[in-house]
Amino acid sequence: MKTLRTSLALGSVLAAALFGFPALAAAQATVLQAPGASKLLPDAVYFDAKSASTQLRNSGGVHFSDGPYTLAVLVDTSGYSTAVQQKYQGYLLTETALDFGGNRLPAGAYGFGFVGGQFLVMDIGAHDLFRAPANHEAQLQHPMPLKVLEGGSSSEWKLCSGRDCVTFRRAQ
């Protein structure tokens, strides 16, 4: 009888793990700060027909539990025109589709910037793809030039430049 109870309990735990928690497991992720993210990022990136050095000390990302990464890094834009410098501040690499305020971003490489209270995403040809609302978070302690933080739920994260942050999640 004791063996039957043990088997039933073990079976229940296994069934719950297999059938009850897959969505929870997929939502779990590890936030990467600069030391971890910089190991995965290149020293330079291609954008708008130029190569720009990355500022690896200003990087961050998310490593999803099922394998994909999303990484962001600030870049040195000194070789770009003033018009490009005003909107291109960083590089975003993602191995999975993301959602920024209802804007779906497929896996790939993109330029980004925080401009006028909005988060701007561009393709590598410097063409604007979309803008999403950015929040100015005055209560954010220890703002950094670039940082990735956990968001309001286990399936949301924030990409912050100083105190300006945009919330993102993995797209369906």
Side-chain angles (χ1 to χ4, degrees), residues 119-131:
F119 177 70
L120 171 64
V121 177
M122 299 158 282
D123 65 18
I124 61 171
H127 306 103
D128 295 1
L129 296 177
F130 66 82
R131 291 175 184 262

Side-chain angles (χ1 to χ4, degrees), residues 5 19-20 47 54-55 64 67 70-71 75 90 101 111 126 136-137 143-144 150 156 169 172:
R5 273 189 248 152
F19 302 110
F47 183 82
T54 56
Q55 298 176 16
F64 296 98
T70 292
L71 303 166
V75 296
H136 185 76
E137 301 193 9
M144 309 260 307
E150 292 179 0
E156 288 185 340
R169 67 181 65 222
Q172 298 299 324

Side-chain angles (χ1 to χ4, degrees), residues 28-118:
Q28 293 178 349
T30 303
V31 172
L32 301 172
Q33 299 307 325
S38 65
K39 293 176 185 176
L40 301 168
L41 287 161
D43 293 330
V45 292
Y46 177 84
F47 183 82
D48 194 26
K50 292 182 179 52
S51 181
S53 298
T54 56
Q55 298 176 16
L56 296 176
R57 68 190 176 283
N58 294 312
S59 62
V62 177
H63 182 204
F64 296 98
S65 61
D66 60 340
Y69 286 87
T70 292
L71 303 166
V73 62
L74 293 184
V75 296
D76 177 9
T77 60
S78 60
Y80 290 90
S81 70
T82 304
V84 172
Q85 286 180 3
Q86 289 176 353
K87 61 183 189 173
Y88 175 49
Q89 298 155 7
Y91 209 68
L92 180 68
L93 298 167
T94 183
E95 296 178 324
T96 187
L98 302 175
D99 180 282
F100 290 89
N103 297 290
R104 189 175 196 282
L105 185 67
Y110 303 92
F112 73 84
F114 287 86
V115 181
Q118 295 189 322

Side-chain angles (χ1 to χ4, degrees), residues 142-165:
H142 311 294
M144 309 260 307
L146 185 129
K147 192 169 190 173
V148 175
L149 305 168
E150 292 179 0
S153 74
S154 63
S155 62
E156 288 185 340
W157 298 271
K158 292 180 184 181
L159 175 60
C160 299
S161 176
R163 286 191 161 87
D164 293 329
C165 300

